[in-house]
Amino acid sequence: MRLFDLPRDYARFDPRDRLNPNDPWMAWARWTIHLLGQARGWKRGICEDIEQGLAILLAGRVDGEPVLHSEMLPFLRKRVIGVGRTTDVLKRMGLFHDDRRPPFEDWLIGKLDGLAPGIGRDVESWLRILHDGGPRNKARAPATVYGYMSRIQPILLAWSQRYDHLREVTRDDVVAMLDQLHGNQRRDALIALRSLLSRAKKNGTIFRDPTRGLKAGRYHYGILQPLLPEDIDRSVQAATTPAARLMVALAGVHAARVADMLALRLDDVDLGNRRIVIAGRARPLDDLTYQLLFDWLRQRAARWPDTANPHLLINRITATTTAPASGQGACLILHRQAATLERLRVDRILEEALACGADPLHLASVFGLDTTTAIRYADSARQLLTTPAEEQDPAGSGEPKGRNGP
């Protein structure tokens, strides 16, 4: 029986003294590496590195004892062995235990610092429900959770200086705090406070929701502006690789989001029928996108002929996995350019709105936009098409001339 739980120090491992080539765990590990390597197109050198790492990680280990992430990470990084691929093998063998502390816990401790104990308990319960979900609640996106707390943290800190519990907060306190904010900041803060206090009401920690009946109002959007031609030209010149040029075309021609580009699979592309499926919607391929797709697929096959990754866009890291590429890496393609991938997407939709006479139904049909988004683009296009000079038409026709005349 074990007397102490001490962390393993793999840096002191001597394979000449402790490595047994006939170890049944290593035989199982070799077979698992072989199966995953064939399925994911791992090179021989990658398989040998993983086998060498597992030979040390599994040496002297009793049956069923898992490998901790905190113990294997420093060792694998020191020997330049892929942590993700080694983890996949251990997971397939059922010998991996992720003992890392979730980043959400550290973030939560920092956000609760300075709050009164009673207020902090309600806020912690609310944030955990938002982040993890519950029997009757869906988990929200991490960005939503972080955004809610950042908007109302100053308000909660101010209340913590006067009150010990949220049940002491009155409607006048909420109104006084909201009166210090304006526009979208007031709206976002009220939405977050309403979510917090309604959760506290359901939990029975407050008697009455002081935000009940307060109106958040509509979100005030600015007028979308088209990109300048020189900004688009600089972004096109900055895209020097086939993958980058393809992403620029998908954003600038088909108005595809970055997440939808990275989610594209090889089955979504039909070069023979000149069709591509983006976010579940089939679209015809124009000549430019067709040629860029052909160039990228040719380079993809030449550089990673054995990859089993089903995604269209891959890189040297994801070529040996089945995961999609990182969105952060995709955004770096047009880093420090005025016409980013997202701005190119917005400019494409706005261009269509200007060409179709600001018809939101047409935009929703072509790009698959929801009603609110289509109306926003249509309103921006209508503002761009209508100028004060055109509203005062000297001919008295009452018809707007547009940007280039009647």
Side-chain angles (χ1 to χ4, degrees):
M1 297 179 65
R2 177 176 298 186
L3 296 178
F4 304 101
D5 287 328
L6 298 177
R8 292 175 177 263
D9 186 5
Y10 295 105
R12 296 181 178 273
F13 179 82
D14 188 354
R16 295 172 299 179
D17 298 335
R18 301 174 58 190
L19 182 57
N20 182 10
N22 298 321
D23 185 6
W25 290 99
M26 272 310 302
W28 187 14
R30 293 190 190 96
W31 175 246
T32 307
I33 294 172
H34 173 71
L35 291 179
L36 289 179
Q38 282 191 332
R40 301 184 180 181
W42 290 350
K43 300 290 185 180
R44 180 178 178 181
I46 294 177
C47 295
E48 291 177 351
D49 290 342
I50 297 175
E51 182 178 341
Q52 179 185 6
L54 290 178
I56 300 176
L57 293 174
L58 299 177
R61 193 171 294 273
V62 299
D63 293 349
E65 183 182 1
V67 179
L68 302 181
H69 183 276
S70 59
E71 296 177 353
M72 61 178 275
L73 181 63
F75 160 73
L76 293 178
R77 284 186 172 176
K78 183 178 180 181
R79 299 209 172 202
V80 198
I81 300 176
V83 179
R85 290 186 283 267
T86 306
T87 300
D88 291 340
V89 175
L90 290 172
K91 285 182 178 179
R92 179 68 68 90
M93 298 173 63
L95 297 177
F96 178 75
H97 176 66
D98 191 353
D99 59 342
R100 291 175 293 180
R101 181 181 177 88
F104 174 75
E105 298 297 332
D106 297 330
W107 173 85
L108 184 61
I109 293 175
K111 291 300 180 180
L112 296 178
D113 186 26
L115 299 183
I119 296 178
R121 284 192 295 269
D122 287 337
V123 173
E124 179 180 1
S125 175
W126 167 62
L127 291 175
R128 289 191 183 278
I129 285 292
L130 289 179
H131 185 267
D132 302 330
R136 297 185 179 181
N137 301 92
K138 284 186 177 182
R140 301 292 188 92
T144 301
V145 182
Y146 300 154
Y148 273 12
M149 187 58 188
S150 64
R151 294 182 186 111
I152 64 173
Q153 186 180 18
I155 299 176
L156 297 175
L157 290 174
W159 286 345
S160 296
Q161 296 177 0
R162 293 182 292 166
Y163 306 129
D164 295 328
H165 301 278
L166 284 178
R167 59 176 171 265
E168 301 178 63
V169 177
T170 64
R171 187 183 185 88
D172 293 337
D173 294 327
V174 175
V175 173
M177 286 296 179
L178 294 178
D179 287 344
Q180 301 176 13
L181 305 175
H182 303 281
N184 294 333
Q185 291 183 347
R186 181 187 183 279
R187 177 182 179 275
D188 295 340
L190 178 56
I191 291 175
L193 282 176
R194 183 180 296 167
S195 176
L196 168 62
L197 295 171
S198 63
R199 170 55 53 184
K201 179 70 168 56
K202 290 181 180 179
N203 293 340
T205 56
I206 64 175
F207 303 109
R208 184 173 177 272
D209 183 1
T211 63
R212 185 179 179 86
L214 294 178
K215 302 298 183 181
R218 295 184 60 184
Y219 198 93
H220 300 285
Y221 292 102
I223 300 176
L224 298 173
Q225 297 293 330
L227 289 171
L228 298 176
E230 51 267 26
D231 293 335
I232 299 178
D233 293 340
R234 281 194 292 267
S235 294
V236 172
Q237 295 174 2
T240 56
T241 63
R245 288 193 289 268
L246 175 60
M247 296 186 73
V248 169
L250 291 175
V253 177
H254 300 274
R257 298 180 181 273
V258 175
D260 295 334
M261 298 181 202
L262 300 179
L264 284 174
R265 292 175 172 261
L266 295 174
D267 295 340
D268 296 329
V269 179
D270 187 357
L271 292 180
N273 294 320
R274 300 178 72 95
R275 306 285 290 181
I276 184 172
V277 179
I278 302 176
R281 299 177 63 87
R283 300 180 59 85
L285 280 177
D286 56 285
D287 294 338
L288 173 62
T289 310
Y290 178 88
Q291 185 60 43
L292 294 176
L293 265 172
F294 182 80
D295 295 341
W296 163 244
L297 290 174
R298 183 171 55 185
Q299 187 197 37
R300 184 183 189 273
R303 188 170 182 181
W304 300 289
D306 300 327
T307 181
N309 195 317
H311 294 89
L312 174 65
L313 296 169
I314 60 176
N315 51 42
R316 62 180 182 85
I317 297 177
T318 61
T320 56
T321 67
T322 57
S326 169
Q328 182 178 4
C331 293
L332 291 177
I333 293 175
L334 300 180
H335 183 54
R336 295 183 178 179
Q337 296 292 333
T340 61
L341 292 176
E342 179 62 21
R343 288 287 289 117
L344 287 172
R345 183 188 75 86
V346 172
D347 184 75
R348 173 65 183 92
I349 301 176
L350 186 60
E351 177 191 18
E352 186 70 22
L354 293 171
C356 71
D359 184 4
L361 294 178
H362 176 77
L363 298 178
S365 175
V366 172
F367 300 107
L369 304 177
D370 58 37
T371 305
T372 304
T373 305
I375 292 175
R376 180 193 174 192
Y377 280 101
D379 289 342
S380 296
R382 198 173 294 111
Q383 291 286 341
L384 294 174
L385 290 171
T386 305
T387 64
E390 292 162 346
E391 293 175 354
Q392 301 175 0
D393 187 5
S397 63
E399 295 292 333
K401 299 179 181 179
R403 292 192 297 177
N404 298 320

